[in-house]
Amino acid sequence: MSSGRVPRQARVRMIAAVATVCALAAAPLAPQAAAADAPPYSETYRPQFHFTPQKNWMNDPNGLVYYKGEYHLFYQYNPNGTSWGDMSWGHAVSTDLVHWKELPLALTHDDEEMVFSGSAVVDRDNTTGFGTRKNPPMVAVYTRYDKSTGIQSQALAYSTDRGRTWTRYQGNPVIDIGSRDFRDPKVQWYEPTKSWLMTVSLSAEHKVRFYSSKNLKDWTLLSEFGPAGATGGVWECPDLFPLAVDGNPDTIKWVLVVNINPGGIAGGSAAQYFVGDFDGTTFTAEDKGSYTPPAGTVVQDFEGSGFGAWTTTGTAFGDGPAAGALAGQGTVEGFDGTGLANSFHSGDGTTGTLTSPEFTLASPYLNFKVGGGRHPHEPGTVLEQGPPPAGTVLADFEGGSYGDWTATGDAFGSAPATGTLPGQQQVSGFLGGGLVNTFLGGDATTGTLTSPEFTLDKKYIDFLIGGGNHPAGSDSPTAVELLVDGQVVRSATGRDAEALNWASWDVSDLAGRTARIRIVDGNTGGWGHINVDHIMLSDTKAQPVSQETSVNLLVDGQVVRSATGSDSETLDWASFDLRPYLGKTARIQIVDHNTGGWGHILADQFTAADAPALSALQRADWADYGKDYYAAVSWEDAPGGKRYMIGWMNNWDYSGAVPTSPWRGAQSIPREMALRTVDGRVRLTSKPVNSVASLRQGDAATATGVTVKNTSQPLIGPAAEGKALDIEATFSLEDAERFGLKVRTGAGGEETVIGYDTTTQQLYVDRTRSGAVDFNSTFPGVQTAPLKPRNGKVTLRILVDWSSVEVFGGSGEAVITDQIFPDPASQGVRVFAENGSVKLDRASVWHLASAHH
């Protein structure tokens, strides 16, 4: 299954301090409250033509197979709640890949196992003996997660009634190598050898294995592929299939899809692919050659015995460049020459900065190598913890008691903790000698702690928070909640780290209201506890302390560009675009302010250049460049030899916090895949399945021959506005630097920008103002995909749903899939051009009917 594996999930949570400190629920919680009363499939944010289960958690698509007129979509499903857990296979069927019928649960978890991701085949020759040749069985090949050992092995279940009921094979597991990271089998019939072929992931080793069988029960190892391409996270949900190049059946290439998390092209989860050849035993990827970065002027290469004019604070960087790995560190690779900056001196617990002297920005790009921890710089953080803001302290948890606060359950004990509790990692960042710490008795204890009533008479509530990342509104929260009239109006959660940090709620709109604070620990799993201290009313917003491991560019003392590692000791190229700041004075600052897992940074080879260096991520090939396309796999046995693919439209960085209810998780639109030669290279391309057009209502609203200069204007008017749209647009380049369309525009500047940057030749989606974005710090942002104009034109196909955009650029080689959570009233569509003119040759906009009716 991709993803939430218990051990993997826990490990990712511990090392990826990217979850937000503050899951501010003012925007997200309002729709949840409203959703409870809405008729099914009409709730706020409910997709209208993407598959979602009626309720509960869904992630990876599984078991994709076509049989007797039905496309089967199985999927990772929690029958018991809206967060990851109790993994089972949900089930839906469709005759056209657009209208789906949800069926009863197919394979359910039990006391011994969870049912992780896998595939399904129709055993037409009854090689298993599970059915007959007249009524061949449908066989599911899934990863069996052993609850007692954490071992992942491959297992079978079968159905003889078109997938409606299932029987587990008594001989399970059929492949067991004793690994905790061995999952997501994709099985197909390989005609040349008249045998079954399994593609399965050794996820932690960044390898894919191929096995062969005559009966789906007895398997022989054929070969391995990897590591290759992007390896910044675990490899999951592999898929292997042949496609004709440019539609020529005499030229067949094989595509190996490998989903990766974290370490995707847009951060977090993503679907990468390799094009190559498969000879029945071995997959060989096409050789793309070695990479040579653009030439330039070296600013700092860390080859001397000291740092020269660069200055240090703290102890993390030592007194000079490192020669490679330091004591206790894994092998460090990818740096140039003999030296690099390495902040692992004395381990992850040390902090510090390394800062260049001032210099004038004279080149368009600053290229450099970076590695180490994935802890991005967050705007608004400070490097040093100052005194608390002035104001009224509601609780500082000093003095050995909770005072007039009321506790329930057993997680809080009878008095505040004095620091770290038995069995807990070190707790830091609290003030004084006491704090709330619900690790009492470990993660298994639960309870609440509620304040007396108080009046909201200042602009902010500031508090220190740490512990588990389980937002309010999830099944098992670890959260601080603000209650007004008994309703939760603000909430915050931890970031799976024991260090407390400042969080703030703007409560100016609630001035004069009476409120309570409730601290909730409802979680008994990993990181099932919360740390809280020093809750206060203030007119000053508290500034959280940086927990970054990053390389920053400072102009006028402000961080204007930043890069972080990918939880890897291998350095890779990164690049800062300096063009907006040419002629200004700047500094480079390398920052290690993290004391947890991967709490260090590596850097080398700072070079001023005329072109950007490309990272391994950027040099890899991606089926989708958006934030929300993961665990992508394809259907077997589709009619007409078509290859259709679907992905989970979410990202493990924030999947548990998206503001939807009573369901959480959606699938992408199914896509028809093809191999095309683009700019001299064979690329995997995709387009929405043709049956999407069956949802188009009436004739399109159209615009033709519109020149747009330095402005944003309505595309057509009310006829083109809506929450569920299918848009086709062709632009002719003139001199505009950026141009495109804005969708779901509305009051307060709400918009999702779908644009093209002519200076970088990139398609982009900007969702920083797309509605609810503050539930996780990694959610807002801009996603980009390389796209060259064709004959001076850029063509776009855009699918807009109630909570997503999918953008297909060119021939489908540049695709960006992003979730958005706009106000339902934001339905505008605008066309724009920046710094010049563009000609909109033609735009057609169709309203799409709901696929639920």
Side-chain angles (χ1 to χ4, degrees), residues 293-299 363 367 606-610:
T297 304
V298 175
V299 177
S363 296
N367 299 330
F606 288 86
T607 306
D610 291 333

Short mmCIF file of all heavy atoms in Angstrom, two decimals, residues 293-299 363 367 606-610:
data_model
loop_
_atom_site.label_atom_id
_atom_site.label_comp_id
_atom_site.label_asym_id
_atom_site.label_seq_id
_atom_site.Cartn_x
_atom_site.Cartn_y
_atom_site.Cartn_z
N PRO A 293 26.24 20.30 -14.83
CA PRO A 293 25.53 21.56 -14.53
C PRO A 293 26.09 22.71 -15.35
O PRO A 293 27.21 22.62 -15.89
CB PRO A 293 25.81 21.76 -13.04
CG PRO A 293 27.12 21.07 -12.81
CD PRO A 293 27.12 19.88 -13.73
N PRO A 294 25.35 23.80 -15.45
CA PRO A 294 25.86 24.97 -16.19
C PRO A 294 27.16 25.49 -15.57
O PRO A 294 27.32 25.47 -14.36
CB PRO A 294 24.73 26.00 -16.04
CG PRO A 294 23.52 25.21 -15.68
CD PRO A 294 24.00 24.02 -14.93
N ALA A 295 28.04 25.95 -16.41
CA ALA A 295 29.30 26.54 -15.92
C ALA A 295 29.01 27.88 -15.26
O ALA A 295 28.01 28.52 -15.54
CB ALA A 295 30.28 26.72 -17.08
N GLY A 296 29.91 28.30 -14.37
CA GLY A 296 29.72 29.59 -13.71
C GLY A 296 30.93 29.92 -12.85
O GLY A 296 31.98 29.29 -12.94
N THR A 297 30.76 30.93 -12.01
CA THR A 297 31.81 31.40 -11.13
C THR A 297 31.58 30.84 -9.73
O THR A 297 30.52 31.08 -9.13
CB THR A 297 31.83 32.93 -11.06
OG1 THR A 297 31.95 33.45 -12.38
CG2 THR A 297 32.97 33.42 -10.19
N VAL A 298 32.55 30.09 -9.22
CA VAL A 298 32.40 29.49 -7.90
C VAL A 298 32.51 30.56 -6.82
O VAL A 298 33.49 31.31 -6.77
CB VAL A 298 33.44 28.38 -7.68
CG1 VAL A 298 33.35 27.83 -6.25
CG2 VAL A 298 33.25 27.26 -8.69
N VAL A 299 31.49 30.65 -5.97
CA VAL A 299 31.46 31.61 -4.87
C VAL A 299 32.07 30.99 -3.62
O VAL A 299 32.77 31.66 -2.86
CB VAL A 299 30.00 32.05 -4.60
CG1 VAL A 299 29.93 32.99 -3.42
CG2 VAL A 299 29.40 32.69 -5.84
N SER A 363 24.49 37.64 -11.23
CA SER A 363 24.17 36.56 -12.16
C SER A 363 22.70 36.14 -11.98
O SER A 363 22.14 36.29 -10.90
CB SER A 363 25.07 35.35 -11.92
OG SER A 363 26.41 35.67 -12.18
N ASN A 367 23.61 28.48 -8.16
CA ASN A 367 23.49 27.03 -8.10
C ASN A 367 24.36 26.49 -6.97
O ASN A 367 25.43 27.03 -6.68
CB ASN A 367 23.92 26.40 -9.43
CG ASN A 367 23.06 26.86 -10.59
OD1 ASN A 367 21.89 27.17 -10.42
ND2 ASN A 367 23.65 26.94 -11.78
N PHE A 606 28.80 26.50 -4.16
CA PHE A 606 27.95 27.64 -4.53
C PHE A 606 28.55 28.31 -5.77
O PHE A 606 29.71 28.72 -5.78
CB PHE A 606 27.86 28.63 -3.37
CG PHE A 606 27.02 28.13 -2.24
CD1 PHE A 606 27.56 27.33 -1.25
CD2 PHE A 606 25.66 28.41 -2.19
CE1 PHE A 606 26.79 26.84 -0.21
CE2 PHE A 606 24.87 27.94 -1.16
CZ PHE A 606 25.43 27.14 -0.17
N THR A 607 27.74 28.42 -6.84
CA THR A 607 28.22 28.87 -8.14
C THR A 607 27.25 29.87 -8.76
O THR A 607 26.06 29.58 -8.87
CB THR A 607 28.37 27.66 -9.10
OG1 THR A 607 29.18 26.66 -8.48
CG2 THR A 607 28.98 28.08 -10.42
N ALA A 608 27.74 31.04 -9.14
CA ALA A 608 26.93 32.02 -9.86
C ALA A 608 26.93 31.65 -11.33
O ALA A 608 28.00 31.44 -11.92
CB ALA A 608 27.49 33.42 -9.66
N ALA A 609 25.73 31.54 -11.93
CA ALA A 609 25.64 31.03 -13.31
C ALA A 609 24.52 31.70 -14.07
O ALA A 609 23.64 32.36 -13.49
CB ALA A 609 25.43 29.51 -13.28
N ASP A 610 24.54 31.52 -15.39
CA ASP A 610 23.53 32.12 -16.26
C ASP A 610 22.30 31.23 -16.45
O ASP A 610 21.30 31.66 -17.02
CB ASP A 610 24.12 32.44 -17.64
CG ASP A 610 25.13 33.57 -17.57
OD1 ASP A 610 25.01 34.41 -16.64
OD2 ASP A 610 26.05 33.61 -18.40
#
